Amino acid sequence: MKRTCINLLLLVCGSLAALAQPRVVAHRGHWRTDGSAQNSIASFRKAAELGCYGSEFDVWMTADGVPVVFHDATMDGIKVEDTMYAELMNHRLGNGEYLPTLQQYLQETVRWKDCRLVMEIKPHRTPERESRLIDMAMKLVRELGLEDRTDYISFSIHACKYIHEKNPKAMVAFLGGEIEPKEIKAMGLTGIDYHLAAFEKHPEWLEDAKRLGLEVNVWTVDGEQGLRHHAALKGIDLITTNDPQLLMQILGSRQ
């Protein structure tokens, strides 16, 4: 009887340890693999196939109001925000895909029901442009039935507040790293998504965020040493990485 109780206790402890594991978010998708590229449709599909909890991607709005998925402010020397979509649509990503519109990208994600979307709204020239982009993005998410699978992140406080205003139930995290958790909570946001340097400077923010019920994501953590270190830190819910496969192997070995 005593041995049975010990075995049950070990099983429960193991289950709790597994539950405490951080979740894996592929940074700009799973792009460090054959046939993929950053923010490509293939990068989301490969992140989903890998079994990642989520896949992060970046959204800009062109001069004529078309949301597109791309990270940098410029593409092939052309500023995305100041360029008409017709001038950008034939530009290709590193894997040969054409620059995807947000609609094309989201349509691909519909069938991958176990992988969350982590949509980064890029800071635009004016708050009005950010608001316009958010309105279109959230409309697409709603029409495609993706509201329950979509998290929003941004370096723009205006964007974060506007998303929360439009949908108070949405998961919204600030990326900037300079605002302490209690201020984020007061804004009504649901989490912080900070660069690893922010937590090195303010390690107490992990405990503060947990006490406030905020979700904590850390970016961008790469390499075995960094991934092992952050996977072991108490209070981190998600790790955004360019090495999702390696992180999943590390987490698997810790269970």
Side-chain angles (χ1 to χ4, degrees):
M1 180 68 176
K2 183 177 180 180
R3 186 176 183 84
T4 300
C5 290
I6 291 173
N7 288 337
L8 286 172
L9 180 61
L10 289 172
L11 180 62
V12 170
C13 289
S15 298
L16 290 173
L19 289 173
Q21 298 265 51
R23 289 158 283 164
V24 180
V25 176
H27 186 232
R28 305 177 198 170
H30 182 27
W31 60 272
R32 288 182 175 175
T33 186
D34 290 344
S36 192
Q38 295 184 17
N39 277 317
S40 63
I41 291 174
S43 72
F44 178 87
R45 184 171 63 250
K46 289 177 181 294
E49 290 172 341
L50 188 62
C52 293
Y53 170 80
S55 186
E56 183 264 354
F57 60 100
D58 307 277
V59 183
W60 285 98
M61 184 175 69
T62 65
D64 51 339
V66 179
V68 294
V69 178
F70 196 69
H71 176 267
D72 294 349
T74 60
M75 183 177 195
D76 298 333
I78 301 170
K79 193 166 184 178
V80 175
E81 187 179 1
D82 293 339
T83 306
M84 304 291 276
Y85 174 65
E87 297 180 49
L88 291 166
M89 61 186 295
N90 291 322
H91 287 251
R92 294 180 183 266
L93 306 182
N95 64 342
E97 283 184 29
Y98 288 109
L99 172 71
T101 65
L102 179 60
Q103 182 170 4
Q104 291 167 341
Y105 189 95
L106 292 180
Q107 284 173 333
E108 170 65 20
T109 71
V110 170
R111 64 192 182 99
W112 301 97
K113 301 185 183 301
D114 294 329
C115 188
R116 291 191 69 82
L117 313 175
V118 183
M119 184 189 302
E120 179 177 343
I121 301 296
K122 304 300 286 187
H124 284 60
R125 188 183 310 105
T126 65
E128 291 74 22
R129 283 185 61 78
E130 291 176 4
S131 298
R132 184 182 173 197
L133 169 58
I134 291 164
D135 286 341
M136 290 187 288
M138 296 184 83
K139 182 174 184 288
L140 281 170
V141 166
R142 184 171 60 253
E143 290 176 347
L144 291 170
L146 295 169
E147 283 186 303
D148 292 339
R149 288 177 48 204
T150 303
D151 301 340
Y152 298 92
I153 58 177
S154 184
F155 283 98
S156 165
I157 280 293
H158 166 76
C160 290
K161 289 181 176 179
Y162 188 76
I163 294 165
H164 174 66
E165 176 187 324
K166 297 292 289 186
N167 181 3
K169 294 182 179 180
M171 298 291 289
V172 187
F174 179 58
L175 283 166
E178 71 275 11
I179 300 178
E180 59 184 300
K182 67 179 181 181
E183 294 181 54
I184 295 296
K185 181 71 172 181
M187 294 177 198
L189 308 186
T190 59
I192 53 176
D193 190 348
Y194 288 172
H195 187 266
L196 55 91
F199 295 117
E200 291 171 357
K201 184 177 181 180
H202 297 285
E204 72 279 7
W205 283 3
L206 287 174
E207 184 177 344
D208 292 347
K210 291 294 94 183
R211 186 176 65 254
L212 293 165
L214 295 173
E215 186 174 64
V216 176
N217 193 336
V218 59
W219 60 272
T220 301
V221 186
D222 293 332
E224 184 169 358
Q225 182 177 350
L227 290 170
R228 287 191 181 279
H229 171 72
H230 286 86
L233 284 181
K234 184 178 179 182
I236 291 179
D237 299 300
L238 305 107
I239 296 175
T240 298
T241 178
N242 291 306
D243 296 324
Q245 188 167 11
L246 175 58
L247 177 55
M248 292 180 72
Q249 290 170 352
I250 290 169
L251 295 176
S253 69
R254 296 176 67 231
Q255 291 183 0

